[in-house]
Amino acid sequence: MEEIKKQLYFISETIEKIKPSNDFLSIEIIFKINPHKELLESLDLEIKKLFEAFKLSKKSIVFEKKFQNSRCEKPISTETLSDLSLIKSLGSGVYAYAGIFQRLINGLDKHLKNIALSLDADEFIFPNLVSTSTLIKSGYLKNFPHQSQPIYDPNCNIESLRSLRQEIKEGVRVSEIESFNQYYKASDFSLSPAVCYHCYEFFENSIFEKDKGKLTTAMQSCYRFEGKSTGGLERLREFKMREFIAMGEPEFVQYFQNKFINIASKLCEDFEINCQLKSASDPFFIDDYNAKRIFQTGFELKLELLTQFKKAPSLAISSINYHQDYFGNSFNLRLHNGKAAHSCCIGFGLDRWCSTIFSTHGVDPMKWPDELRKII
Ligand code: ATP
Ligand code: ZN
Ligand code: MG
């Protein structure tokens, strides 16, 4: 239901709030202004399509962990973390981290990086900007236009610059500045929504020799427009992600897909996190998402590591995505025999991992499990 709710917000700006009933049999939708007939009809259609897709894409559980003493009822609130001066909100879905929060983010990332290096991964530093043509090549812009964050370049036009300068006053919101749209135009770059697109771009037109697949790793800030679902540390506009990416022959990539599952399992054991690893599907939204969703869940191409809360919806802290030869074809990553390379990645949403750890064990490391305390 959370997933359906998240997607419905993107249908129209006039939707103020979506409230599913407790029995999940109906949804109440509150509008900012009276909705017109066409909007109601299209909403009705989208809701039916989404329900159908979710009904058909049966999810299966790969593993489940439950720890007896866990007092994890719901995600720790941003108010609590702010009161402790561990985070500061810098706008909707954007936070600065301090104290034990930044220590945990850094410690966790270092721990993950060391795991990747112990598997012989090559480490990369990627920019937070990604060429929008790479997002087109990867299919991202087509599949997730509603989450994309293109950036703007100034227009070389002195007249619109002059009027823009006049309108810039302290306290004014950019959305209220009329000449803003005249002065800035879409650039060739976007803020990167994930890490692995950079990796396929880096290896574009490469040939992987026989038995020589590649494992890579990188961490960067990622950006997604989450609309009205933005909130807490659970759904950010800017978040940090460490990815491990395997590319090469199908056997090599499947070996790492399994390794990634084991890594996720060991981390949850070590850190005593209640969770499930479950087949899932991406929020394909605009067209033909039914088919893609059913394909993804049916073949277990996307697995989500979900933290289980007693009194809140579960939350994905990582996902393992097996893309088969999709990116091999898109980025011309070839095997020695001319076939397209396969790829698989695991993404760790560091902000969600940290918030889950604080929700589960509190903010005092002295009360944490030993394996967790060791990483900070
Ligand atoms: P969700 O279903 O929660 O939207 P997703 O399927 O979009 O997640 P992925 O694309 O699989 O997420 O990204 C990998 C990981 O990045 C997620 O498991 C999560 O930990 C993190 N992540 C994704 N979106 C956000 C966000 N808006 N805020 C914080 N972390 C996020
Ligand atoms: Zn990825
Ligand atoms: Mg998402």
Side-chain angles (χ1 to χ4, degrees):
M1 186 50 90
E2 280 306 303
E3 208 151 315
I4 293 180
K5 197 170 111 185
K6 205 167 70 194
Q7 300 215 18
L8 287 177
Y9 277 123
F10 288 108
I11 292 181
S12 166
E13 293 244 313
T14 63
I15 297 177
E16 180 67 39
K17 199 147 189 59
I18 294 170
K19 291 194 204 159
S21 63
N22 285 342
D23 55 8
F24 294 126
L25 290 175
S26 59
I27 304 178
E28 185 187 351
I29 299 177
I30 299 161
F31 295 90
K32 281 186 206 150
I33 48 169
N34 254 353
H36 49 79
K37 195 167 152 259
E38 289 79 23
L39 174 60
L40 287 177
E41 279 168 8
S42 87
L43 258 174
D44 194 45
L45 193 72
E46 293 300 333
I47 291 172
K48 279 188 186 133
K49 280 205 283 184
L50 277 168
F51 268 100
E52 197 53 30
F54 277 101
K55 218 165 64 199
L56 291 173
S57 51
K58 265 199 150 326
K59 302 195 170 177
S60 54
I61 298 173
V62 180
F63 67 68
E64 181 165 22
K65 317 252 169 222
K66 271 192 189 155
F67 294 89
Q68 291 296 322
N69 310 331
S70 174
R71 54 190 165 98
C72 192
E73 304 221 313
K74 55 183 186 221
I76 191 164
S77 76
T78 47
E79 287 76 22
T80 306
L81 292 167
S82 292
D83 290 348
L84 294 166
S85 301
L86 299 180
I87 63 168
K88 185 173 169 69
S89 166
L90 303 177
S92 171
V94 182
Y95 286 90
Y97 302 127
I100 187 66
F101 205 120
Q102 69 81 23
R103 266 175 74 196
L104 183 57
I105 286 231
N106 280 334
L108 178 61
D109 185 52
K110 195 166 160 210
H111 183 63
L112 296 171
K113 175 176 135 173
N114 286 339
I115 294 174
L117 297 184
S118 73
L119 297 169
D120 249 354
D122 290 336
E123 196 188 11
F124 286 78
I125 296 176
F126 293 130
N128 291 352
L129 294 186
V130 62
S131 144
T132 305
S133 40
T134 298
L135 293 188
I136 292 175
K137 200 174 275 180
S138 67
Y140 187 84
L141 201 61
K142 230 179 185 161
N143 284 320
F144 310 106
H146 54 299
Q147 295 210 285
S148 299
Q149 298 268 252
I151 65 158
Y152 288 81
D153 279 345
N155 232 328
C156 297
N157 177 332
I158 191 80
E159 283 314 311
S160 46
L161 174 60
R162 281 194 183 117
S163 53
L164 176 68
R165 275 167 57 94
Q166 279 185 351
E167 286 181 79
I168 297 175
K169 296 180 196 91
E170 212 183 306
V172 76
R173 294 170 73 94
V174 166
S175 53
E176 290 162 1
I177 300 179
E178 240 175 64
S179 48
F180 191 85
N181 287 336
Q182 289 162 29
Y183 191 63
Y184 290 102
K185 59 175 194 309
S187 75
D188 293 331
F189 286 99
S190 295
L191 293 171
S192 192
V195 183
C196 59
Y197 302 132
H198 282 309
C199 184
Y200 312 129
E201 189 179 15
F202 193 95
F203 286 98
E204 189 163 17
N205 300 325
S206 299
I207 298 174
F208 297 99
E209 283 168 39
K210 193 163 165 43
D211 300 329
K212 289 218 168 115
K214 262 220 170 297
L215 181 70
T216 66
T217 186
M219 192 280 271
Q220 65 171 90
S221 291
C222 295
Y223 305 82
R224 297 186 194 172
F225 181 72
E226 301 276 7
K228 293 219 174 60
S229 302
T230 309
L233 294 175
E234 294 70 58
R235 206 154 283 288
L236 299 165
R237 178 189 276 263
E238 172 171 333
F239 56 97
K240 299 192 192 324
M241 188 168 10
R242 161 79 51 186
E243 279 199 44
F244 302 175
I245 304 131
M247 296 166 291
E249 283 151 4
E251 301 72 28
F252 175 87
V253 172
Q254 282 154 20
Y255 168 82
F256 275 102
Q257 184 191 23
N258 271 324
K259 240 306 39 74
F260 296 163
I261 294 174
N262 293 336
I263 290 169
S265 165
K266 170 123 181 24
L267 286 169
C268 292
E269 287 278 340
D270 285 351
F271 299 167
E272 298 179 16
I273 292 174
N274 285 349
C275 64
Q276 282 184 339
L277 185 73
K278 246 181 170 177
S279 56
S281 58
D282 271 316
F284 301 119
F285 182 58
I286 307 300
D287 305 304
D288 67 349
Y289 51 75
N290 278 7
K292 284 184 186 162
R293 217 182 262 285
I294 293 159
F295 187 74
Q296 268 192 331
T297 33
F299 289 92
E300 300 199 342
L301 298 181
K302 180 173 175 111
L303 300 173
E304 259 179 353
L305 183 63
L306 299 160
T307 350
Q308 306 295 112
F309 298 108
K310 286 189 189 122
K311 292 186 181 159
S314 54
L315 183 70
I317 51 176
S318 275
S319 75
I320 298 170
N321 300 277
Y322 181 27
H323 318 109
Q324 297 173 315
D325 60 0
Y326 180 83
F327 291 120
N329 278 315
S330 319
F331 289 87
N332 194 29
L333 311 173
R334 295 282 148 206
L335 299 176
H336 60 98
N337 57 12
K339 287 190 177 159
H342 279 216
S343 63
C344 177
C345 66
I346 180 166
F348 300 89
L350 298 180
D351 317 65
R352 286 190 189 175
W353 270 87
C354 289
S355 122
T356 298
I357 288 170
F358 292 131
S359 312
T360 311
H361 301 296
V363 295
D364 178 3
M366 295 312 285
K367 297 187 177 143
W368 292 358
D370 291 346
E371 291 303 312
L372 180 58
R373 204 172 36 243
K374 273 190 207 155
I375 70 165
I376 56 166

